[in-house]
CSV table of all heavy atoms in Angstrom, one decimal:
chain,number,residue,atom,x,y,z
A,1,LEU,N,171.4,106.3,268.2
A,1,LEU,CA,172.1,105.9,269.4
A,1,LEU,C,173.4,105.2,269.0
A,1,LEU,O,173.4,104.3,268.3
A,1,LEU,CB,171.3,105.0,270.3
A,1,LEU,CG,171.9,104.4,271.6
A,1,LEU,CD1,172.2,105.6,272.5
A,1,LEU,CD2,171.0,103.4,272.2
A,2,VAL,N,174.5,105.8,269.6
A,2,VAL,CA,175.8,105.2,269.3
A,2,VAL,C,176.3,104.2,270.3
A,2,VAL,O,176.7,103.1,270.0
A,2,VAL,CB,176.9,106.3,269.1
A,2,VAL,CG1,178.3,105.7,268.9
A,2,VAL,CG2,176.5,107.3,268.0
A,3,ALA,N,176.2,104.6,271.6
A,3,ALA,CA,176.6,103.8,272.7
A,3,ALA,C,176.0,104.3,274.0
A,3,ALA,O,175.6,105.4,274.1
A,3,ALA,CB,178.1,103.8,272.8
A,4,SER,N,175.8,103.4,274.9
A,4,SER,CA,175.2,103.7,276.2
A,4,SER,C,175.9,103.0,277.3
A,4,SER,O,176.5,101.9,277.1
A,4,SER,CB,173.7,103.4,276.3
A,4,SER,OG,173.4,102.0,276.1
A,5,VAL,N,175.8,103.5,278.5
A,5,VAL,CA,176.4,102.9,279.7
A,5,VAL,C,175.5,103.1,280.9
A,5,VAL,O,175.1,104.3,281.1
A,5,VAL,CB,177.9,103.3,279.9
A,5,VAL,CG1,177.9,104.9,280.1
A,5,VAL,CG2,178.5,102.6,281.1
A,6,THR,N,175.2,102.1,281.6
A,6,THR,CA,174.4,102.2,282.8
A,6,THR,C,175.2,102.6,284.0
A,6,THR,O,176.4,102.6,284.0
A,6,THR,CB,173.6,100.9,283.1
A,6,THR,OG1,174.6,99.9,283.5
A,6,THR,CG2,172.9,100.4,281.9
A,7,SER,N,174.5,102.9,285.1
A,7,SER,CA,175.2,103.2,286.3
A,7,SER,C,176.0,102.1,286.9
A,7,SER,O,177.0,102.2,287.6
A,7,SER,CB,174.2,103.7,287.4
A,7,SER,OG,173.3,102.7,287.7
A,8,GLY,N,175.6,100.8,286.5
A,8,GLY,CA,176.3,99.6,286.9
A,8,GLY,C,177.4,99.3,286.0
A,8,GLY,O,178.1,98.3,286.2
A,9,GLY,N,177.6,100.0,284.9
A,9,GLY,CA,178.7,99.8,284.0
A,9,GLY,C,178.4,98.9,282.8
A,9,GLY,O,179.3,98.6,282.0
A,10,SER,N,177.2,98.5,282.6
A,10,SER,CA,176.8,97.7,281.4
A,10,SER,C,176.7,98.6,280.2
A,10,SER,O,176.2,99.7,280.2
A,10,SER,CB,175.4,97.1,281.7
A,10,SER,OG,175.0,96.3,280.5
A,11,THR,N,177.3,98.1,279.1
A,11,THR,CA,177.5,98.9,277.9
A,11,THR,C,176.7,98.3,276.7
A,11,THR,O,176.6,97.1,276.7
A,11,THR,CB,178.9,99.2,277.5
A,11,THR,OG1,179.6,97.9,277.3
A,11,THR,CG2,179.7,99.9,278.6
A,12,ASN,N,176.3,99.1,275.8
A,12,ASN,CA,175.7,98.7,274.5
A,12,ASN,C,176.2,99.6,273.4
A,12,ASN,O,176.5,100.8,273.6
A,12,ASN,CB,174.2,98.7,274.6
A,12,ASN,CG,173.6,97.6,275.4
A,12,ASN,OD1,173.6,96.4,274.9
A,12,ASN,ND2,173.2,97.8,276.6
A,13,TYR,N,176.4,99.0,272.2
A,13,TYR,CA,176.9,99.7,271.1
A,13,TYR,C,176.1,99.5,269.8
A,13,TYR,O,175.5,98.4,269.6
A,13,TYR,CB,178.3,99.3,270.8
A,13,TYR,CG,179.3,99.6,271.9
A,13,TYR,CD1,179.6,98.6,272.8
A,13,TYR,CD2,180.0,100.8,271.9
A,13,TYR,CE1,180.5,98.9,273.9
A,13,TYR,CE2,180.9,101.1,272.9
A,13,TYR,CZ,181.1,100.1,273.9
A,13,TYR,OH,182.0,100.4,274.9
A,14,ALA,N,176.0,100.5,269.0
A,14,ALA,CA,175.4,100.3,267.7
A,14,ALA,C,176.3,99.3,266.9
A,14,ALA,O,177.5,99.3,267.0
A,14,ALA,CB,175.3,101.6,266.9
A,15,ASP,N,175.7,98.5,266.0
A,15,ASP,CA,176.4,97.6,265.2
A,15,ASP,C,177.5,98.2,264.4
A,15,ASP,O,178.6,97.6,264.2
A,15,ASP,CB,175.5,96.8,264.3
A,15,ASP,CG,174.6,95.8,265.0
A,15,ASP,OD1,175.0,95.4,266.2
A,15,ASP,OD2,173.6,95.3,264.4
A,16,SER,N,177.3,99.4,263.9
A,16,SER,CA,178.2,100.1,263.1
A,16,SER,C,179.5,100.5,263.8
A,16,SER,O,180.5,100.8,263.1
A,16,SER,CB,177.6,101.3,262.4
A,16,SER,OG,177.1,102.2,263.4
A,17,VAL,N,179.5,100.6,265.1
A,17,VAL,CA,180.7,101.0,265.8
A,17,VAL,C,181.3,100.0,266.7
A,17,VAL,O,182.4,100.2,267.4
A,17,VAL,CB,180.4,102.3,266.7
A,17,VAL,CG1,179.8,103.4,265.8
A,17,VAL,CG2,179.5,101.9,267.9
A,18,LYS,N,180.7,98.8,266.8
A,18,LYS,CA,181.2,97.7,267.7
A,18,LYS,C,182.7,97.4,267.2
A,18,LYS,O,183.0,97.2,266.1
A,18,LYS,CB,180.4,96.5,267.6
A,18,LYS,CG,179.0,96.6,268.3
A,18,LYS,CD,178.2,95.3,268.2
A,18,LYS,CE,176.9,95.5,269.0
A,18,LYS,NZ,176.1,94.2,268.8
A,19,GLY,N,183.5,97.2,268.2
A,19,GLY,CA,184.9,96.9,268.0
A,19,GLY,C,185.8,98.1,267.7
A,19,GLY,O,187.0,98.0,267.7
A,20,ARG,N,185.2,99.3,267.5
A,20,ARG,CA,186.0,100.5,267.2
A,20,ARG,C,185.8,101.6,268.3
A,20,ARG,O,186.8,102.3,268.5
A,20,ARG,CB,185.5,101.1,265.8
A,20,ARG,CG,185.7,100.1,264.7
A,20,ARG,CD,185.5,100.9,263.3
A,20,ARG,NE,184.1,101.3,263.2
A,20,ARG,CZ,183.7,102.6,263.1
A,20,ARG,NH1,184.7,103.5,263.0
A,20,ARG,NH2,182.5,102.9,262.9
A,21,PHE,N,184.6,101.7,268.9
A,21,PHE,CA,184.3,102.7,269.9
A,21,PHE,C,184.2,102.0,271.3
A,21,PHE,O,183.8,100.9,271.4
A,21,PHE,CB,183.0,103.4,269.6
A,21,PHE,CG,183.0,104.3,268.4
A,21,PHE,CD1,184.1,104.3,267.5
A,21,PHE,CD2,181.9,105.1,268.1
A,21,PHE,CE1,184.1,105.1,266.4
A,21,PHE,CE2,181.9,105.9,267.0
A,21,PHE,CZ,183.0,105.9,266.1
A,22,THR,N,184.6,102.8,272.3
A,22,THR,CA,184.5,102.4,273.7
A,22,THR,C,183.9,103.5,274.5
A,22,THR,O,184.4,104.6,274.5
A,22,THR,CB,185.9,101.9,274.2
A,22,THR,OG1,186.4,100.9,273.4
A,22,THR,CG2,185.7,101.4,275.7
A,23,ILE,N,182.8,103.2,275.2
A,23,ILE,CA,182.2,104.2,276.1
A,23,ILE,C,182.6,103.9,277.5
A,23,ILE,O,182.8,102.7,277.9
A,23,ILE,CB,180.7,104.1,275.9
A,23,ILE,CG1,180.0,105.3,276.7
A,23,ILE,CG2,180.1,102.8,276.4
A,23,ILE,CD1,178.5,105.5,276.4
A,24,SER,N,182.8,104.9,278.3
A,24,SER,CA,183.2,104.8,279.7
A,24,SER,C,182.7,106.0,280.5
A,24,SER,O,182.3,107.0,279.9
A,24,SER,CB,184.7,104.6,279.8
A,24,SER,OG,185.4,105.7,279.3
A,25,ARG,N,182.8,105.9,281.8
A,25,ARG,CA,182.4,107.0,282.6
A,25,ARG,C,183.2,107.0,283.9
A,25,ARG,O,183.7,106.0,284.4
A,25,ARG,CB,180.9,106.9,283.0
A,25,ARG,CG,180.5,105.6,283.8
A,25,ARG,CD,179.0,105.4,283.8
A,25,ARG,NE,178.3,106.4,284.7
A,25,ARG,CZ,177.0,106.6,284.8
A,25,ARG,NH1,176.2,105.8,284.1
A,25,ARG,NH2,176.5,107.5,285.6
A,26,ASP,N,183.4,108.2,284.4
A,26,ASP,CA,184.1,108.5,285.7
A,26,ASP,C,183.1,109.1,286.6
A,26,ASP,O,182.8,110.3,286.5
A,26,ASP,CB,185.3,109.4,285.5
A,26,ASP,CG,186.1,109.6,286.7
A,26,ASP,OD1,185.6,109.4,287.8
A,26,ASP,OD2,187.3,109.9,286.6
A,27,ASN,N,182.5,108.4,287.5
A,27,ASN,CA,181.4,108.9,288.3
A,27,ASN,C,181.9,110.0,289.3
A,27,ASN,O,181.1,110.9,289.7
A,27,ASN,CB,180.7,107.7,289.1
A,27,ASN,CG,180.0,106.8,288.2
A,27,ASN,OD1,179.4,107.2,287.2
A,27,ASN,ND2,179.9,105.5,288.6
A,28,ALA,N,183.1,109.9,289.7
A,28,ALA,CA,183.7,110.9,290.6
A,28,ALA,C,183.8,112.3,290.0
A,28,ALA,O,183.7,113.3,290.6
A,28,ALA,CB,185.1,110.5,291.1
A,29,LYS,N,183.9,112.3,288.7
A,29,LYS,CA,184.0,113.5,287.9
A,29,LYS,C,182.7,113.9,287.2
A,29,LYS,O,182.7,114.9,286.5
A,29,LYS,CB,185.2,113.4,286.9
A,29,LYS,CG,186.5,113.3,287.5
A,29,LYS,CD,187.6,113.2,286.5
A,29,LYS,CE,189.0,113.1,287.1
A,29,LYS,NZ,190.1,113.0,286.1
A,30,ASN,N,181.7,113.0,287.3
A,30,ASN,CA,180.5,113.2,286.5
A,30,ASN,C,180.8,113.4,285.0
A,30,ASN,O,180.2,114.3,284.4
A,30,ASN,CB,179.7,114.4,287.1
A,30,ASN,CG,179.0,114.1,288.4
A,30,ASN,OD1,178.7,113.0,288.7
A,30,ASN,ND2,178.9,115.2,289.2
A,31,THR,N,181.6,112.6,284.5
A,31,THR,CA,182.1,112.7,283.1
A,31,THR,C,182.0,111.4,282.4
A,31,THR,O,182.3,110.3,283.0
A,31,THR,CB,183.5,113.2,283.1
A,31,THR,OG1,183.6,114.5,283.8
A,31,THR,CG2,184.0,113.4,281.7
A,32,MET,N,181.6,111.5,281.1
A,32,MET,CA,181.5,110.3,280.3
A,32,MET,C,182.5,110.5,279.1
A,32,MET,O,182.7,111.6,278.6
A,32,MET,CB,180.1,110.1,279.8
A,32,MET,CG,179.9,109.0,278.8
A,32,MET,SD,178.2,108.8,278.2
A,32,MET,CE,177.9,110.4,277.5
A,33,TYR,N,183.0,109.4,278.5
A,33,TYR,CA,183.9,109.5,277.4
A,33,TYR,C,183.5,108.5,276.3
A,33,TYR,O,182.8,107.5,276.5
A,33,TYR,CB,185.3,109.1,277.9
A,33,TYR,CG,185.8,109.8,279.1
A,33,TYR,CD1,185.7,109.3,280.4
A,33,TYR,CD2,186.5,111.1,278.9
A,33,TYR,CE1,186.2,110.1,281.5
A,33,TYR,CE2,186.9,111.8,280.0
A,33,TYR,CZ,186.8,111.3,281.3
A,33,TYR,OH,187.2,112.0,282.4
A,34,LEU,N,183.9,108.9,275.1
A,34,LEU,CA,183.8,108.0,274.0
A,34,LEU,C,185.1,107.9,273.2
A,34,LEU,O,185.5,108.9,272.6
A,34,LEU,CB,182.7,108.4,273.1
A,34,LEU,CG,182.3,107.5,271.9
A,34,LEU,CD1,181.7,106.2,272.4
A,34,LEU,CD2,181.4,108.2,270.9
A,35,GLN,N,185.8,106.8,273.3
A,35,GLN,CA,187.0,106.6,272.6
A,35,GLN,C,186.7,106.1,271.2
A,35,GLN,O,186.1,105.0,271.1
A,35,GLN,CB,188.0,105.7,273.3
A,35,GLN,CG,189.3,105.4,272.6
A,35,GLN,CD,190.2,106.6,272.5
A,35,GLN,OE1,190.4,107.3,273.5
A,35,GLN,NE2,190.7,106.9,271.3
A,36,MET,N,187.1,106.8,270.2
A,36,MET,CA,186.7,106.4,268.8
A,36,MET,C,188.0,106.1,268.1
A,36,MET,O,188.9,106.9,267.9
A,36,MET,CB,185.9,107.5,268.1
A,36,MET,CG,184.7,107.9,268.9
A,36,MET,SD,183.7,109.1,267.9
A,36,MET,CE,184.8,110.5,268.0
A,37,ASN,N,188.2,104.8,267.6
A,37,ASN,CA,189.3,104.4,266.9
A,37,ASN,C,188.9,103.9,265.5
A,37,ASN,O,187.7,103.7,265.2
A,37,ASN,CB,190.0,103.2,267.6
A,37,ASN,CG,190.6,103.6,268.9
A,37,ASN,OD1,191.0,104.7,269.2
A,37,ASN,ND2,190.5,102.7,269.9
A,38,SER,N,189.9,103.8,264.6
A,38,SER,CA,189.6,103.4,263.2
A,38,SER,C,188.4,104.2,262.6
A,38,SER,O,187.5,103.6,262.0
A,38,SER,CB,189.3,101.9,263.2
A,38,SER,OG,190.4,101.2,263.7
A,39,LEU,N,188.5,105.5,262.7
A,39,LEU,CA,187.3,106.3,262.2
A,39,LEU,C,187.2,106.2,260.7
A,39,LEU,O,188.1,106.1,260.0
A,39,LEU,CB,187.6,107.7,262.7
A,39,LEU,CG,187.3,108.0,264.1
A,39,LEU,CD1,187.9,109.3,264.6
A,39,LEU,CD2,185.8,108.0,264.4
A,40,LYS,N,185.9,106.2,260.3
A,40,LYS,CA,185.5,106.2,258.9
A,40,LYS,C,184.8,107.4,258.5
A,40,LYS,O,184.2,108.1,259.4
A,40,LYS,CB,184.6,104.9,258.7
A,40,LYS,CG,185.2,103.6,259.1
A,40,LYS,CD,184.1,102.5,259.0
A,40,LYS,CE,184.7,101.2,259.4
A,40,LYS,NZ,183.7,100.1,259.3
A,41,PRO,N,184.7,107.8,257.2
A,41,PRO,CA,183.9,108.9,256.8
A,41,PRO,C,182.5,108.9,257.2
A,41,PRO,O,181.9,109.9,257.5
A,41,PRO,CB,184.1,108.9,255.3
A,41,PRO,CG,185.4,108.3,255.0
A,41,PRO,CD,185.5,107.2,256.1
A,42,GLY,N,181.9,107.6,257.3
A,42,GLY,CA,180.6,107.5,257.8
A,42,GLY,C,180.3,107.8,259.2
A,42,GLY,O,179.2,107.9,259.6
A,43,ASP,N,181.4,108.0,260.0
A,43,ASP,CA,181.3,108.5,261.4
A,43,ASP,C,181.1,110.0,261.5
A,43,ASP,O,180.8,110.5,262.6
A,43,ASP,CB,182.5,108.1,262.2
A,43,ASP,CG,182.6,106.5,262.3
A,43,ASP,OD1,181.6,105.8,262.5
A,43,ASP,OD2,183.8,106.1,262.2
A,44,THR,N,181.2,110.7,260.4
A,44,THR,CA,181.0,112.1,260.4
A,44,THR,C,179.6,112.5,260.9
A,44,THR,O,178.6,112.1,260.3
A,44,THR,CB,181.3,112.7,259.0
A,44,THR,OG1,182.7,112.5,258.7
A,44,THR,CG2,181.0,114.2,259.0
């Protein structure tokens, strides 16, 4: 598990990605996103 987001907007992240990844969702579009910054080879 990398990251999760509830219907209420509460988020959780794996320790390895905290501070680098951001999870979000657009309920109107039924779409979820994962913004990944400062990527490392271990993220492959």
Side-chain angles (χ1 to χ4, degrees):
L1 177 64
V2 177
S4 64
V5 56
T6 69
S7 60
S10 179
T11 60
N12 284 284
Y13 297 91
D15 288 341
S16 60
V17 307
K18 286 181 179 177
R20 300 188 297 120
F21 291 9
T22 302
I23 189 171
S24 61
R25 62 192 289 175
D26 185 336
N27 292 330
K29 297 181 179 180
N30 287 330
T31 302
M32 175 179 63
Y33 306 94
L34 185 67
Q35 179 66 48
M36 305 185 293
N37 299 325
S38 302
L39 283 162
K40 305 174 181 179
D43 296 319
T44 295

